[in-house]
Amino acid sequence: MDATVTRKVLWRLVPFLMLCYFVAFLDRVNVGFAALTMNRDLGLSAAVYGLGAGIFFLGYFLFEVPSNIILEKVGARRWIARIMITWSLVSASTAFVVGEWSFYAVRFLLGVAEAGFFPGIIFYLTNWFPSEQRAKVVGTFMMAIPISSVIGSPLSAWIMAATDGSHGLAGWQWLYLIEAAPSFLLGFAVLAYLADRPEDAHWLDAEERGWLAERIARDRRERVQVQKISLGQALIHPRVLGLSLVYFGVSTGLYGIGLWLPQIVKDFGLSTLQTGFVTAIPYMVSAVGMVLWTRHSDLKMERTWHVVIPAVVGGLAFAAAGYAPSPTLAMIALSVAALGVFSAMPTFWTLPTALLTGSAAAGGIALINSIGGLGGFVGPYVIGWVKDVTGQFSLALLAIAGFMIAAGLLTLVLSSIGAGTRITHSPAE
């Protein structure tokens, strides 16, 4: 029954959640393509763009934990639907920013609207898949990130080129309006499609529902010593904070490349449409590599080194990209850097889900994602500031390399602290 039920759950949930995350990430980072002409139209400097692109994560940081705690109480189906509908409306409104401050405001509100989406889905998946399958499942789900860029990069470039000037709107304005529509529609689809728990899954028969619910409950009990503490204590637990810093370092690389790669590639002397196709290359490499890497992690049931190796290698590749003597070598290095980022991230998420259960999982995963997500603020801003000061990307990519390598080394340190202990929320304390 194990393989049959797992296959049913996998095919029912993961493709749909991938589609939701695909449009989420597209709405989050399409600002990188819009910037190819938006910055000129609005008079935004590289530093202003970097700050605005990254300020998304300040709103995300402030509302992540409350959002995920609400999700755990009201159910993923209703809360994820609310998140998607809200963020689609805010994302579309980016088409009407008129300058620096309105750009900052809309990006901040987009972070507020989307807060809780990614960690909510990570928490949601722990209700459906046991720990030994999670790296593969999370890795498959997170393929939506590179796929969104493989498809979204040339698509965004084409939309901007094809719609520029239509009905008095610039191509970058149409980009925001068109790419917000799928999120709005999918928000309503979530209400009809998702079930909160195995017990609610009408697409499984009664025996399968009972077996899966018991399998997940047994997974939470076995192989670990449970440390019961208050939710507040869980949020300041040293390992939770340490994992937040690891994710901070990896996120710096993810959003440093995600929000600036189109402009780095455009500096090679390419057209907007050419930039769209070339930008997709690192993500194509990453989509394949992250699946193979996470499956290898599940096969070996090893997590630490499957985070450390890609984080360190990715960091070294960022450094190499900044000083590559030709565009071809720079793209090879950036592809390796992206592969490192996307291979480290899904395996990383097996660490907090193995550590935390119950309300501690909802709050702790959200905290890790929110603090870690601040790397999405630091990465784009550092690149923009250094680009304004030096006129080139080399030193900025070197700084991103440092964050990635530090994340890998910190993972090694944390692996020796409190291994085998799981943290759960005890309301009585």
Side-chain angles (χ1 to χ4, degrees), residues 3-316:
T4 301
V5 175
T6 297
R7 191 180 305 111
K8 277 188 179 182
V9 175
L10 185 70
W11 282 105
R12 171 75 184 192
L13 297 181
V14 175
F16 180 75
L17 294 174
M18 284 180 66
L19 179 61
C20 292
Y21 197 38
F22 174 98
V23 298
F25 203 78
L26 199 61
D27 284 346
R28 185 185 297 186
V29 303
N30 59 10
V31 67
F33 268 94
L36 295 177
T37 56
M38 178 186 70
N39 289 1
R40 180 197 63 218
D41 290 350
L42 301 181
L44 306 181
S45 69
V48 167
Y49 164 74
L51 178 59
I55 209 169
F56 166 94
F57 294 96
L58 295 184
Y60 204 74
F61 168 77
L62 293 173
F63 289 88
E64 186 89 318
V65 173
S67 180
N68 225 39
I69 291 174
I70 293 172
L71 178 145
E72 196 262 339
K73 294 185 181 300
V74 307
R77 183 179 64 90
R78 285 185 289 175
W79 198 244
I80 289 173
R82 192 284 303 163
I83 289 172
M84 295 190 69
I85 293 168
T86 305
W87 99 49
S88 68
L89 297 174
V90 176
S91 182
S93 70
T94 314
F96 304 105
V97 299
V98 295
E100 175 181 346
W101 292 103
S102 57
F103 180 54
Y104 292 159
V106 171
R107 290 293 295 179
F108 178 82
L109 291 175
L110 185 62
V112 172
E114 196 180 319
F117 177 74
F118 175 77
I121 290 183
I122 296 297
F123 173 70
Y124 179 71
L125 290 173
T126 67
N127 293 330
W128 294 89
F129 296 96
S131 57
E132 66 267 18
Q133 298 172 354
R134 271 181 212 149
K136 178 182 69 176
V137 170
V138 174
T140 303
F141 161 66
M142 291 186 70
M143 274 185 66
I145 301 178
I147 289 174
S148 72
S149 296
V150 169
I151 298 174
S153 294
L155 176 64
S156 296
W158 179 81
I159 289 173
M160 289 177 63
T163 61
D164 191 36
S166 178
H167 298 283
L169 297 178
W172 61 268
Q173 293 176 297
W174 280 113
L175 177 67
Y176 288 123
L177 293 172
I178 292 171
E179 292 188 347
S183 303
F184 183 79
L185 298 175
L186 278 171
F188 291 99
V190 166
L191 290 171
Y193 192 82
L194 289 187
D196 286 319
R197 301 171 302 166
E199 295 89 336
D200 304 323
H202 62 83
W203 38 272
L204 296 174
D205 62 38
E207 183 181 2
E208 290 170 332
R209 289 196 297 270
W211 178 87
L212 182 57
E214 171 55 29
R215 178 68 186 87
I216 297 301
R218 185 172 75 249
D219 181 68
R220 289 170 175 166
R221 294 191 301 264
E222 65 188 15
R223 294 194 307 273
V224 294
Q225 170 190 353
V226 177
Q227 178 185 357
K228 293 186 177 181
I229 60 177
S230 71
L231 179 59
Q233 288 172 316
L235 295 180
I236 60 172
H237 192 279
R239 289 189 71 201
V240 172
L241 295 177
L243 288 170
S244 300
L245 293 176
V246 171
Y247 195 54
F248 178 94
V250 177
S251 293
T252 301
L254 172 66
Y255 292 106
I257 197 171
L259 295 171
W260 277 102
L261 186 59
Q263 294 183 66
I264 293 173
V265 172
K266 189 75 160 56
D267 270 7
F268 296 160
L270 304 179
S271 69
T272 297
L273 193 58
Q274 289 170 331
T275 297
F277 284 101
V278 174
T279 298
I281 293 173
Y283 297 105
M284 293 173 64
V285 173
S286 301
V288 176
M290 71 188 297
V291 171
L292 297 176
W293 191 250
T294 52
R295 289 185 177 181
H296 187 265
S297 176
D298 276 346
L299 179 65
K300 298 296 184 181
M301 280 306 294
E302 196 288 323
R303 308 305 188 192
T304 299
W305 286 103
H306 281 79
V307 176
V308 174
I309 292 172
V312 172
V313 171
L316 294 174

